[in-house]
Amino acid sequence: MADIVLDKVSKRFPDGTTAVQDVDLEIADGEFVILVGPSGCGKSTTLNMIAGLEDISSGELRIAGERVNDKAPRDRDIAMVFQSYALYPNMTVRENMAFPLRLAKMDKETINQKVEEAAKVLELTALLDRKPANLSGGQRQRVAMGRAIVRQPKAFLMDEPLSNLDAKLRVQMRTVVSRLQKQLGTTTVYVTHDQTEAMTLGDRVVIMRGGAVQQVGPPQELYDHPRNLFVAGFIGSPSMNFLHAKVEEGRLRTALGDVPIGERVRRELEAGDAPRELILGVRPEHFEDAALIDDETRARGVEFEAPVDIVESMGSDKYVYFTVEGERATAAELEELAADAGAADFAGAGSNLVTRLSAESPVREGENRRVWFNLEKIHLFDPGSGRNLTLHEGRSAGALAD
Amino acid sequence: MSVNATPAGAEAAAEAEQPTGKHAAVPAQRARRGAGAPLSDNKRAERRLGWLLCAPAALVMVLVTAYPILYSVWLSLQRFDLRFPDERQFVGLENYVTVLTNDFWWTAFGVTMLITVVTVAVELVLGMGLALIMHRTLVGRGIVRTAALIPYGIVTVVAAFSWRYAWTPGTGYLANLFDGSAPLTERASSLAIIMLAEIWKTTPFMALLLMAGLALVPEDLLKAASTDGATAWQRFTKVMLPVMKPAILVALLFRTLDAFRVFDNIFVLTNGGNETSSVSMLAYNNLIRGLNLGIGSTMSVLIFITVAIIAFVFVKLFGTAAPGSDDGERR
Ligand SMILES: Nc1ncnc2c1ncn2[C@@H]1O[C@H](COP(=O)(O)OP(=O)(O)OP(=O)(O)O)[C@@H](O)[C@H]1O
Ligand SMILES: [Mg+2]
């Protein structure tokens, strides 16, 4: 077990691609850290550099305080789990799991004991003499995990280990991974492009974009206090609603009506290079049916009326989709997120609004509904730099804060 | 149409399930039986079409291979020397006794075996090296591959002549390197030169087949082995070779069969002098030069049988070579 420190680590490929740029990251001993981001953002490359499978172009990598830039993978004492599982097809499950131990020249007795132990933890005992070809996807995945844990390495590196499983199995294996990591207390770096996995699994989440780290923090912090537009849009499902907002006469003109702003945001906007146009971000759960709230709550937000497109009743609450007229929010980050999500979420004329209302709301499709949203929870972003203007000392305080 | 669609779908599903192993075989069979009645007509028609499509090729094969083989077998059972056509008569296995008790035959057989084993072994090692180089090179891949394949593209006889001239005392540059000695007049050095020529010519072919095998090794598998603690050599022997085994066996089979029939290099380089004849040379000498159809045919049949045995052994090895097959060897 050990801590892992990345100190300004960069990776440039021979063809000139910069896949990873100046990544600073300190992973504490026993911590479970998730690397997440859209496809091609350099997650695998970062992991491969930690494993020693890719050279580090510049910067320093330390495992347990020791610089390992020039060490071969076999001398770093880390175990890796691959998306493809990478099981040796010619070996049985037992031989696969024993392989790292045999290479470490342990005696047969110890090897057998360790393999049996790991097999028991992962419920593989009955499968020990099968070949990988005769296993199901979930079983192969567990063998790959088993091969990683038998050795008790300093750290686990996992590159999208659950991506090849079907949805149900993935949820199941997620808890297996989580429990295993807590049990063993081994430092783990886990790569995924699934933000649900990122939110549920890790102690801390690292969000990457184009080879650079965007924000690092516990999942809830990233959710509540996103540092920029990209993080705000990436974390959360359904994702945050983004609307075009114009600064006029000390108010924000938006498709949801005028929004007042507090002292702090006003000061931000009075700076010389402050943008005149902003992007307003509201999460679905910060909307509520205007008929259901008391006056005190009402005072903390504003109301608007819009036609209801679709109502999805989830039992505990309702997802209600609105279409609002007006200019759409545009920014490089949003386009990137849309491309990663398959563009479906951000298409269409006007803006699509996703809201999560109480189950008691009598909202029906086709009607015009009055909806309230919480000004203390909204975010304002600079469309040029993507910066969250409502963030103060790492906390987001909404539009009204003084 | 809709009646057919369902069983066909079930069949496809059953087929898709099969690779998961023995357990899947039962539902697969059940599905097939369940769909049996409406399918059988269909299936029979399909099978008939299959035979019809094979027929022309099978017919040609019979005409061009089966007939000569059977005719050789027939000839090998007769005393039949074109110089004495009147003495032709059926003698049963007498020719086989003659050949198999003859020292020339066994010398040639030994030479052939030696050439086969040595050349194939050396080619395997060199070919693997070449394949690894071609697989790994990032710059000028095309040029490297083309250059490596040139020897294989040259007509054997032409290449053999250039070897012969190179080793001819006085004029040859290679012979001059060795103080103008005449290596092609001695048995050991002649054999060495023959093997060298063979290896030079066919290593690229071996490399090409092995490179196809290398492409079968997933990159992740090698990465996994690296993090599991394997050295480069261990990655090669414990991960690459087992995964490549089927490709290696195919390459070995092709080359062994080819090498066993070695002819042109010997014909040009030594013409079989100094006991350097291969079995093919011997058969040629008896058949074409000696005009002894009986003995020559007997030798041809013996060569055919040996080749068939080699092929059989290799094919047996293939059966269990597929990765993940349950009846594969266990350590
Ligand atoms: N060998 C290489 N040569 C050049 N560029 C490469 C190489 N490998 C990766 N890249 C580039 O580096 C970038 C990061 O790749 P990486 O594999 O780390 O992405 P990723 O975040 O793991 O994506 P995914 O979620 O799709 O796996 C990509 O733009 C990719 O095209
Ligand atoms: Mg990746």
Side-chain angles (χ1 to χ4, degrees):
Chain A
M1 271 171 264
D3 62 325
I4 300 172
V5 178
L6 284 81
D7 189 355
K8 294 234 177 316
V9 167
S10 299
K11 175 72 192 180
R12 271 175 300 280
F13 282 107
D15 66 355
T17 325
T18 303
V20 175
Q21 211 165 8
D22 291 334
V23 169
D24 281 319
L25 192 59
E26 289 186 22
I27 301 165
D29 184 9
E31 200 178 12
F32 196 155
V33 165
I34 312 277
L35 295 185
V36 69
S39 191
C41 71
K43 307 179 295 285
S44 298
T45 308
T46 308
L47 207 65
N48 286 342
M49 283 193 289
I50 299 176
L53 298 168
E54 295 276 8
D55 291 332
I56 295 169
S57 307
S58 68
E60 190 169 278
L61 173 69
R62 290 188 292 274
I63 298 178
E66 187 190 356
R67 183 190 146 100
V68 294
N69 281 40
D70 304 315
K71 276 198 171 182
R74 58 193 298 264
D75 300 320
R76 295 191 187 189
D77 193 20
I78 30 86
M80 192 149 168
V81 179
F82 295 85
Q83 180 178 357
S84 63
Y85 314 135
L87 301 178
Y88 309 117
N90 54 311
M91 302 182 197
T92 61
V93 169
R94 183 190 300 278
E95 289 162 346
N96 261 286
M97 285 168 48
F99 189 65
L101 304 179
R102 272 199 308 159
L103 292 177
K105 302 222 167 18
M106 281 188 193
D107 63 279
K108 272 220 164 77
E109 197 82 345
T110 324
I111 293 181
N112 248 334
Q113 188 200 329
K114 283 181 181 251
V115 169
E116 301 276 347
E117 231 168 73
K120 205 146 106 207
V121 173
L122 290 161
E123 293 167 30
L124 288 169
T125 312
L127 307 173
L128 277 176
D129 291 313
R130 290 234 204 132
K131 289 270 175 74
N134 302 338
L135 297 177
S136 72
Q139 291 167 339
R140 283 180 213 182
Q141 214 285 328
R142 294 211 301 272
V143 177
M145 298 287 293
R147 192 174 60 188
I149 66 171
V150 279
R151 195 152 51 98
Q152 291 154 339
K154 283 190 187 138
F156 295 138
L157 308 178
M158 306 191 187
D159 194 350
E160 310 199 20
L162 308 183
S163 297
N164 282 357
L165 301 178
D166 62 63
K168 205 168 152 194
L169 208 52
R170 190 159 10 174
V171 175
Q172 217 175 318
M173 278 310 293
R174 208 158 68 196
T175 56
V176 172
V177 172
S178 180
R179 201 174 317 129
L180 208 59
Q181 202 274 341
K182 286 209 173 63
Q183 235 168 44
L184 301 169
T186 308
T187 316
T188 304
V189 186
Y190 185 108
V191 164
T192 177
H193 61 239
D194 176 15
Q195 61 95 22
T196 321
E197 246 168 58
M199 290 296 282
T200 51
L201 270 178
D203 298 328
R204 276 197 304 159
V205 177
V206 179
I207 299 189
M208 293 183 70
R209 173 189 172 217
V213 171
Q214 301 292 300
Q215 192 170 356
V216 184
Q220 194 63 47
E221 191 181 310
L222 299 191
Y223 188 84
D224 291 338
H225 313 290
R227 189 184 292 167
N228 61 31
L229 198 54
F230 185 82
V231 174
F234 192 82
I235 294 284
S237 172
S239 53
M240 190 184 278
N241 297 292
F242 294 110
L243 296 156
H244 181 81
K246 212 171 184 160
V247 188
E248 260 173 31
E249 298 156 12
R251 299 176 81 77
L252 291 175
R253 215 94 321 136
T254 76
L256 304 184
D258 282 1
V259 173
I261 49 178
E263 267 311 307
R264 189 189 297 157
V265 176
R266 199 186 313 276
R267 274 199 303 277
E268 284 272 0
L269 293 176
E270 274 163 6
D273 57 348
R276 295 284 88 194
E277 321 234 309
L278 299 178
I279 288 173
L280 171 75
V282 197
R283 291 215 181 268
E285 64 270 28
H286 297 138
F287 290 91
E288 186 52 282
D289 190 325
L292 295 178
I293 50 174
D294 54 42
D295 288 340
E296 195 189 331
T297 319
R298 200 182 304 272
R300 279 188 270 145
V302 292
E303 288 171 36
F304 67 96
E305 199 172 287
V308 176
D309 271 345
I310 298 169
V311 178
E312 287 174 358
S313 188
M314 310 297 286
S316 56
D317 35 38
K318 283 182 173 142
Y319 284 114
V320 184
Y321 297 76
F322 295 91
T323 309
V324 290
E325 303 290 318
E327 208 175 324
R328 284 175 56 194
T330 49
E333 279 98 335
L334 292 184
E335 265 154 43
E336 207 173 303
L337 286 167
D340 195 53
D345 290 0
F346 295 87
S351 303
N352 293 318
L353 211 59
V354 187
T355 67
R356 204 172 103 196
L357 309 182
S358 298
E360 298 91 69
S361 166
V363 60
R364 267 200 311 276
E365 283 172 19
E367 67 169 336
N368 267 355
R369 193 82 200 163
R370 243 188 127 60
V371 176
W372 167 92
F373 67 96
N374 190 345
L375 284 180
E376 287 170 1
K377 299 287 187 183
I378 66 170
H379 304 276
L380 294 170
F381 301 96
D382 177 347
S385 65
R387 194 167 67 91
N388 186 351
L389 300 174
T390 36
L391 205 65
H392 184 68
E393 287 165 358
R395 309 267 114 192
S396 181
L400 296 177
D402 294 323
Chain B
M1 252 7 257
S2 61
V3 180
N4 278 344
T6 320
E11 174 98 346
E15 218 83 77
E17 243 177 296
Q18 255 173 341
T20 52
K22 286 176 185 152
H23 310 276
V26 180
Q29 266 166 13
R30 201 175 301 141
R32 196 164 294 163
R33 209 177 305 135
L39 202 79
S40 62
D41 260 1
N42 224 345
K43 198 138 203 196
R44 207 175 305 141
E46 206 172 273
R47 197 161 291 166
R48 195 174 328 120
L49 179 67
W51 280 114
L52 278 174
L53 290 175
C54 285
L59 207 68
V60 172
M61 282 285 278
V62 166
L63 285 178
V64 302
T65 62
Y67 173 73
I69 289 172
L70 290 177
Y71 190 57
S72 320
V73 172
W74 171 239
L75 284 177
S76 75
L77 299 175
Q78 303 181 30
R79 175 179 304 149
F80 189 9
D81 192 329
L82 281 183
R83 288 168 302 178
F84 313 103
D86 298 340
E87 287 173 28
R88 178 174 181 175
Q89 83 181 90
F90 186 84
V91 292
L93 294 175
E94 196 184 292
N95 283 334
Y96 287 87
V97 176
T98 312
V99 171
L100 290 175
T101 54
N102 183 294
D103 280 347
F104 281 120
W105 167 260
W106 286 113
T107 308
F109 193 83
V111 166
T112 313
M113 273 302 186
L114 178 79
I115 292 177
T116 305
V117 171
V118 172
T119 56
V120 172
V122 174
E123 280 165 22
L124 180 64
V125 175
L126 291 183
M128 184 65 85
L130 202 58
L132 283 171
I133 291 171
M134 291 198 279
H135 190 67
R136 291 273 160 223
T137 42
L138 299 172
V139 281
R141 201 174 238 183
I143 292 175
V144 172
R145 286 185 190 180
T146 313
L149 277 174
I150 286 175
Y152 192 64
I154 296 175
V155 179
T156 315
V157 175
V158 174
F161 268 109
S162 63
W163 281 109
R164 188 170 121 186
Y165 293 136
W167 289 108
T168 303
T171 54
Y173 66 100
L174 286 173
N176 290 342
L177 281 182
F178 292 88
D179 289 336
S181 65
L184 285 174
T185 59
E186 279 164 50
R187 185 169 189 231
S189 49
S190 299
L191 284 177
I193 289 171
I194 290 167
M195 289 193 264
L196 180 70
E198 280 282 303
I199 291 167
W200 175 81
K201 186 177 77 98
T202 40
T203 298
F205 178 66
M206 191 69 132
L208 210 62
L209 291 179
L210 291 177
M211 209 166 66
L214 276 178
L216 292 178
V217 184
E219 201 58 33
D220 274 358
L221 222 51
L222 299 174
K223 286 185 179 177
S226 295
T227 53
D228 279 346
T231 59
W233 178 249
Q234 284 168 328
R235 286 202 294 277
F236 179 65
T237 55
K238 297 197 154 94
V239 179
M240 273 168 121
L241 285 186
V243 175
M244 284 177 69
K245 196 170 152 196
I248 294 175
L249 281 174
V250 170
L252 282 181
L253 173 65
F254 278 17
R255 276 305 304 140
T256 308
L257 296 187
D258 234 21
F260 193 80
R261 292 170 302 171
V262 56
F263 181 86
D264 14 19
N265 266 320
I266 301 179
F267 187 84
V268 173
L269 285 168
T270 66
N271 200 11
N274 295 315
E275 300 188 326
T276 54
S277 273
S278 67
V279 283
S280 300
M281 282 283 307
L282 209 60
Y284 168 83
N285 282 340
N286 278 287
L287 263 174
I288 310 296
R289 288 212 190 139
L291 299 177
N292 191 335
L293 298 191
I295 294 288
S297 298
T298 305
M299 289 177 171
S300 308
V301 171
L302 285 172
I303 294 171
F304 174 74
I305 291 172
T306 317
V307 164
I309 291 173
I310 294 173
F312 181 76
V313 169
F314 271 104
V315 170
K316 269 280 153 210
L317 284 175
F318 281 137
T320 56
S325 71
D326 237 354
D327 36 329
E329 91 291 349
R330 288 246 168 87
R331 249 152 289 152

